[in-house]
Amino acid sequence: MSEELVVRFFAALEDGDIAALREIYAPDAVIWHNDDLIEQPVDENLKVLQGLHRAVSGLHYEIIRRVPAPDGVLQQHVLRGRLRGGAEVELHAAMYLQVRDGHITRIEEYLDSGKRAAIKAAREALSV
């Protein structure tokens, strides 16, 4: 069950389907990244994901491995796409997605902050 939910989650991410993502997240879910150590609430995370879709076209998650865990799923992937200026995006990451009662309740994402910086800058440039 957890793995099916995670498959739906990444399909919604690739499609930029914010409504589906909101349904998949538990209302009180938190999203944590290793590069800022902040626990982000759902609404804030969805704003970031909307910006990601505006900044990166052809967004795709290349799954390296997905492993069921007792309370969720561990996944290693490469986020790929293209910035508006034409630069290719290749962000290697690993995520732990905690699932309870049919919803994602927590995400812990480990990624290369240097590679993430270009995506973040492109996203922020669009919101100016």
Side-chain angles (χ1 to χ4, degrees):
M1 182 68 180
S2 294
E3 193 169 354
E4 291 173 17
L5 183 68
V6 169
V7 168
R8 283 185 32 232
F9 176 75
F10 281 95
L13 279 174
E14 288 181 344
D15 292 342
D17 188 342
I18 300 302
L21 291 169
R22 185 177 297 282
E23 288 178 16
I24 291 169
Y25 278 136
D28 60 347
V30 293
I31 298 84
W32 175 88
H33 301 102
N34 68 300
D35 62 337
D36 61 14
L37 307 178
I38 295 170
E39 290 188 339
Q40 191 178 57
V42 171
D43 286 338
E44 189 176 322
N45 181 254
L46 293 176
K47 287 178 188 174
V48 169
L49 294 175
Q50 278 182 313
L52 175 66
H53 257 275
R54 286 193 309 270
V56 180
S57 63
L59 190 68
H60 174 70
Y61 289 84
E62 178 185 317
I63 310 304
I64 307 298
R65 69 181 49 90
R66 184 180 286 147
V67 181
D71 62 347
V73 174
L74 296 168
Q75 178 173 296
Q76 179 185 0
H77 58 256
V78 181
L79 180 146
R80 297 187 187 279
R82 184 179 305 273
L83 298 177
R84 287 185 173 230
E88 294 286 330
V89 170
E90 181 178 290
L91 179 62
H92 294 257
M95 281 184 165
Y96 159 69
L97 300 101
Q98 184 180 49
V99 177
R100 189 176 323 126
D101 299 326
H103 295 282
I104 292 175
T105 57
R106 181 175 182 82
I107 294 178
E108 295 174 3
E109 185 172 22
Y110 299 86
L111 46 81
D112 178 343
S113 61
K115 296 280 187 175
R116 183 179 181 201
I119 297 170
K120 186 177 179 183
R123 194 184 73 239
E124 288 173 352
L126 292 174
S127 55
V128 173

